[in-house]
Amino acid sequence: VRSHTGNLRAVHLVNMWQTRYDEAPNRARKAEISERIVSIIQESNGRFLKWEETGWVEVADEEARDKIAHYFRNQRRTKTDNNTNKQSTALKRNRSLTEIAV
């Protein structure tokens, strides 16, 4: 499901808008940005679906907006985790080089 074209497009749009979302002064502005992405997807005949016992069903716009907001938070967390891991790796390398030099 994560590799579905629609999900990849949603993640791509979130990446394009991430800086504006992060710099938004309040929750209302963040909601507007999420709504804009939902509109972009819907204007190109994209839909937001969820699995239920009877199969895939389209969700309301509010739930779609919440899903996009979740993508924003998840992308931010992923970037933060990646930066932390890179810094940790760099520190370990520097420590190893110092130990070798001593």
Side-chain angles (χ1 to χ4, degrees), residues 5-98:
T5 305
N7 293 332
L8 296 175
R9 181 160 185 252
V11 169
H12 177 72
L13 287 167
V14 165
N15 284 331
M16 288 175 56
W17 288 75
Q18 186 74 52
T19 301
R20 281 175 266 195
Y21 185 87
D22 290 341
E23 293 174 354
N26 52 47
R27 290 179 68 189
R29 181 66 184 126
K30 289 182 183 208
E32 289 174 12
I33 293 169
S34 294
E35 288 171 7
R36 179 66 187 126
I37 292 176
V38 169
S39 294
I40 290 169
I41 291 169
Q42 290 174 336
E43 288 167 5
S44 65
N45 296 320
R47 300 180 296 161
F48 290 84
L49 306 172
K50 73 175 177 180
W51 180 257
E52 292 189 352
E53 291 179 19
T54 57
W56 292 102
V57 295
E58 192 166 356
V59 301
D61 287 352
E62 184 177 346
E63 193 170 345
R65 187 193 71 222
D66 290 344
K67 183 60 179 175
I68 292 298
H70 174 78
Y71 276 132
F72 276 117
R73 291 188 304 273
N74 191 49
Q75 287 298 102
R76 185 183 322 121
R77 190 176 313 120
T78 301
K79 280 183 182 179
T80 301
D81 289 348
N82 285 342
N83 287 341
T84 302
N85 288 340
K86 287 178 186 175
Q87 290 171 352
S88 177
T89 301
L91 286 173
K92 287 177 185 175
R93 269 194 223 129
N94 287 340
R95 229 180 272 134
S96 296
L97 292 175
T98 305

